Amino acid sequence: MRTDDAKTETLQFKVTDQERKLIERCAQDEGTTVSKYVRGAVLMSMVMDGKAEAIKIVAREVGEKAFGVVRQKLVRPTTEGR
């Protein structure tokens, strides 16, 4: 991760008990944290609204994850044979 991508800021907002439970359940169902789940949902909403900066952020995240998967697949064949 690049240093300028370090998460150093905090946003807080109030939700109802029902909303909190739903958000927590959905995050758990996706195998992620509440923070990552909410951040992703907000960013995707911005992408759907055509916000260019959000599109850049999401594209960069997807690109980095895709590169990581490819890198693992390239490294794995050399270590599996041992």
Side-chain angles (χ1 to χ4, degrees):
M1 179 182 282
R2 298 185 320 205
T3 56
D4 62 343
D5 288 339
K7 292 168 185 68
T8 59
E9 303 299 318
T10 300
L11 289 176
Q12 293 181 316
F13 57 96
K14 293 187 181 242
V15 295
T16 66
D17 183 57
Q18 183 180 15
E19 291 168 335
R20 180 187 57 79
K21 288 176 182 175
L22 176 60
I23 292 167
E24 288 174 345
R25 187 172 61 244
C26 289
Q28 184 177 15
D29 289 349
E30 290 196 16
T32 191
T33 65
V34 168
S35 292
K36 284 177 103 174
Y37 181 82
V38 171
R39 189 169 46 250
V42 170
L43 283 169
M44 286 310 296
S45 177
M46 290 182 213
V47 167
M48 297 305 290
D49 288 342
K51 306 288 187 217
E53 189 64 27
I55 293 168
K56 290 177 189 176
I57 291 168
V58 171
R60 183 176 63 234
E61 286 288 320
V62 169
E64 288 173 1
K65 286 182 182 178
F67 180 74
V69 169
V70 169
R71 184 174 51 225
Q72 282 182 334
K73 290 192 182 286
L74 292 174
V75 171
R76 189 174 296 147
T78 60
T79 60
E80 286 180 350
R82 293 183 185 169

